[in-house]
Amino acid sequence: GISNVFTPNYDGSNDRFTFNGGNLADIEVTIYDKGGRLIHKFTDPEQGWDGKLSSGENAPEGTYFYVIFATGSGKKKHQQGGTVQLIR
């Protein structure tokens, strides 16, 4: 499952937007703000997004959109999108 809320306050609990990639390969996750601007991109679902902008600054609280592109068994392509709420 993919969490729809995370709290990057560095208390050791729910600090990153992550998910279990299972047996998926070649994963790419892109995070966008409400204006459609690319905020972050990652390829390791266990590392995920720590709530920072590409500049290293903290992203503001709010709703962000993600798109996951992945390849599964049999080289089947998968795409999934959704929203995640960042709460500080």
Side-chain angles (χ1 to χ4, degrees), residues 5-28:
V5 175
F6 76 114
T7 57
N9 58 6
Y10 309 103
D11 66 354
S13 176
N14 199 29
D15 287 330
R16 292 177 172 270
F17 171 62
T18 62
F19 61 94
N20 181 350
N23 62 355
L24 296 175
D26 301 321
I27 296 172
E28 180 180 275

Side-chain angles (χ1 to χ4, degrees), residues 10 14 19 23 25 30-31 35 44 46 54 63 65 71 74 78 81:
Y10 309 103
N14 199 29
F19 61 94
N23 62 355
T30 51
I31 309 288
D44 181 348
E46 292 181 15
S54 57
T63 301
F65 303 90
T71 305
H78 300 274

Side-chain angles (χ1 to χ4, degrees), residues 31 37-41 49-60 64:
I31 309 288
R37 290 181 298 266
L38 178 66
I39 297 298
H40 189 76
K41 184 185 293 189
W49 179 39
D50 62 0
K52 293 195 180 284
L53 303 172
S54 57
S55 66
E57 296 177 56
N58 287 338
Y64 293 85

